[in-house]
């Protein structure tokens, strides 16, 4: 009796295993058919291109979330913050003089001391060197770097503070300002990338380039805010 039970159990196990294998094989075959039908509508070059693009997108995202990239962004953010604090205290005439002084080699060092950004510039140089030595980052094309800067420019911390008592539907105004500020942030990252690539670190030309890039950024943010206020005012009418 015991042998019969054992034989029955073994036979049932074999049967279940066989059925599972058949079902699994059919599922795989069905998947292959569907997959092949999809691929038959695309030539292999297109499929490879799509696969390659997906990999590049993942690569850009992985770099954007890496410590080495975030350290670089934070160094620019610290530099920008000090610049903005100083620049916001100037009147229109002083801003014109400041802009002219940046392009005067004899004044650049004094400006750096006035802004107290020597340490911040040093951090930008160090973190950019580490980023440039990153194997993944070094494989990016110029267009891919632009995508990276566009995607992560919000990390610069250009916070938008909504004005109280605006009334009406001003969501389109806020969206336009955000787009403008994000674009300004992406340009800042791109411009500072050029400064670090084209000029030798610690030189007057390098410092002047960083200051000019930030000045352009600050002016762009100001214009975005002015356009926002005008948009809100028109929305009330």
């Amino acid at each position: 009796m015991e042998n019969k039970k054992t034989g029955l159990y073994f036979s049932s196990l074999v049967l279940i295993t066989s059925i599972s294998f058949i079902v699994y094989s059919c599922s795989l075959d069905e998947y292959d058919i569907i997959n092949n039908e999809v691929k038959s509508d695309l030539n292999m070059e297109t499929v490879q291109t799509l696969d390659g693009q997906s990999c590049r997108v993942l690569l850009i995202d992985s770099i954007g979330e890496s410590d080495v990239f975030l350290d670089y962004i934070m160094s620019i953010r610290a530099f920008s913050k000090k610049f903005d604090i100083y620049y916001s205290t100037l009147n229109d005439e002083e801003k014109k003089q400041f802009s002219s002084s940046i392009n005067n080699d004899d004044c650049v060092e004094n400006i750096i001391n006035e802004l107290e950004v020597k340490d911040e510039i040093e951090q930008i140089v160090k973190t950019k060197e580490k980023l440039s030595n990153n194997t993944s980052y070094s494989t990016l094309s110029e267009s891919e770097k632009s995508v990276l800067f566009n995607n992560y420019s919000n990390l610069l911390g250009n916070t938008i503070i909504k004005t109280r008592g605006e009334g009406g539907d001003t969501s389109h105004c806020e969206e336009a300002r955000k787009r403008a500020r994000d674009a300004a942030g992406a340009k800042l990252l791109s411009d500072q990338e050029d400064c670090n690539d084209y000029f030798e670190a610690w030189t007057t030309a390098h410092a002047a380039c960083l200051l000019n890039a930030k000045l352009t950024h600050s002016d762009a943010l100001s214009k975005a805010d002015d356009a926002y206020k005008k948009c809100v005012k028109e929305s009330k009418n």
Side-chain angles (χ1 to χ4, degrees):
M1 181 65 69
E2 190 68 24
N3 289 337
K4 287 184 179 181
K5 288 183 179 179
T6 302
L8 181 60
Y9 173 80
F10 180 78
S11 299
S12 299
L13 182 62
V14 171
L15 179 61
I16 292 172
T17 303
S18 300
I19 292 173
S20 299
F21 178 78
I22 292 171
V23 171
Y24 178 72
S25 298
C26 290
S27 298
L28 283 180
D29 291 340
E30 182 179 2
Y31 174 81
D32 286 340
I33 291 171
I34 295 173
N35 196 39
N36 288 333
E37 286 177 350
V38 172
K39 287 190 175 182
S40 66
D41 294 332
L42 301 170
N43 59 47
M44 284 307 298
E45 183 178 352
T46 303
V47 172
Q48 290 172 355
T49 299
L50 292 174
D51 289 343
Q53 289 175 345
S54 297
C55 289
R56 301 307 290 180
V57 169
L58 291 174
L59 175 63
I60 291 171
D61 287 343
S62 67
I63 294 172
E65 296 170 3
S66 66
D67 289 341
V68 67
F69 181 73
L70 294 177
D71 287 344
Y72 177 57
I73 293 293
M74 291 303 103
S75 67
I76 295 178
R77 179 174 175 173
F79 171 76
S80 297
K81 185 176 180 180
K82 278 196 172 182
F83 185 102
D84 286 336
I85 291 173
Y86 176 86
Y87 194 63
S88 64
T89 65
L90 305 180
N91 58 38
D92 291 342
E93 185 59 33
E94 289 171 335
K95 286 180 179 178
K96 290 181 181 179
Q97 294 177 357
F98 180 80
S99 179
S100 299
S101 299
I102 288 178
N103 296 306
N104 186 332
D105 290 349
D106 296 330
C107 299
V108 171
E109 186 173 351
N110 290 334
I111 291 174
I112 291 174
N113 292 332
E114 186 73 20
L115 270 63
E116 299 181 347
V117 291
K118 187 174 182 179
D119 290 342
E120 284 70 24
I121 291 178
E122 181 178 352
Q123 284 303 309
I124 289 176
V125 172
K126 289 182 177 179
T127 55
K128 177 55 173 66
E129 183 178 2
K130 290 182 180 179
L131 182 61
S132 297
N133 291 334
N134 180 270
T135 304
S136 297
Y137 183 80
S138 64
T139 66
L140 295 182
S141 66
E142 291 304 314
S143 60
E144 288 172 334
K145 287 181 182 179
S146 295
V147 172
L148 175 66
F149 296 152
N150 280 317
N151 289 351
Y152 293 90
S153 62
N154 63 307
L155 296 176
L156 290 172
N158 300 321
T159 305
I160 297 176
I161 302 176
K162 184 177 179 180
T163 305
R164 292 184 179 180
E166 290 172 348
D169 183 11
T170 60
S171 59
H172 63 290
C173 301
E174 295 171 10
E175 291 170 2
R177 177 166 66 165
K178 184 181 184 305
R179 287 195 300 270
R181 293 174 73 93
D182 286 347
K187 178 171 172 51
L188 172 63
L189 294 178
S190 178
D191 288 347
Q192 296 226 344
E193 171 90 355
D194 291 341
C195 293
N196 291 308
D197 287 343
Y198 298 149
F199 296 104
E200 184 179 352
W202 316 118
T203 63
T204 300
H206 176 255
C209 184
L210 294 178
L211 290 169
N212 269 303
K214 176 53 195 167
L215 178 61
T216 299
H217 176 249
S218 295
D219 288 342
L221 295 184
S222 180
K223 290 178 180 178
D225 290 341
D226 289 343
Y228 170 76
K229 293 175 184 177
K230 181 180 179 180
C231 178
V232 169
K233 184 177 180 180
E234 292 175 347
S235 297
K236 290 180 179 181
N237 298 332

